[in-house]
Amino acid sequence: TLHLPADTSASFHIETFNGRIANQLGPAPRKTNRFLPAQELSFSIGGGDARVSVENFNGAVKLIMD
């Protein structure tokens, strides 16, 4: 789980092999393969100043705006 301040400025790239992505900051994730549970999400908020990359094999990834 990533808790981010309201003034976050970053570009995100998130991938999971077996787990869902929950995103309170913007777009919904998309499935990367119709036969696997994998999901992927790429987006930017603010000016996109920082780069955040998350790869997870088994489990959920949550982005929460504080």
Side-chain angles (χ1 to χ4, degrees):
T1 301
L2 297 173
H3 290 267
L4 302 162
D7 63 349
T8 296
S9 177
S11 295
F12 295 85
H13 181 77
I14 302 163
E15 296 180 53
T16 65
F17 178 77
N18 184 28
R20 69 182 198 97
I21 300 170
N23 181 20
Q24 289 185 351
L25 309 178
R30 66 177 183 86
K31 287 185 62 88
T32 58
N33 185 309
R34 69 182 191 162
F35 301 108
L36 300 173
Q39 291 188 338
E40 180 178 70
L41 176 63
S42 294
F43 70 100
S44 294
I45 58 173
D49 297 325
R51 291 186 354 194
V52 179
S53 179
V54 178
E55 294 181 12
N56 191 13
F57 184 77
N58 191 26
V61 175
K62 298 177 186 175
L63 300 177
I64 298 171
M65 184 74 72
D66 285 337

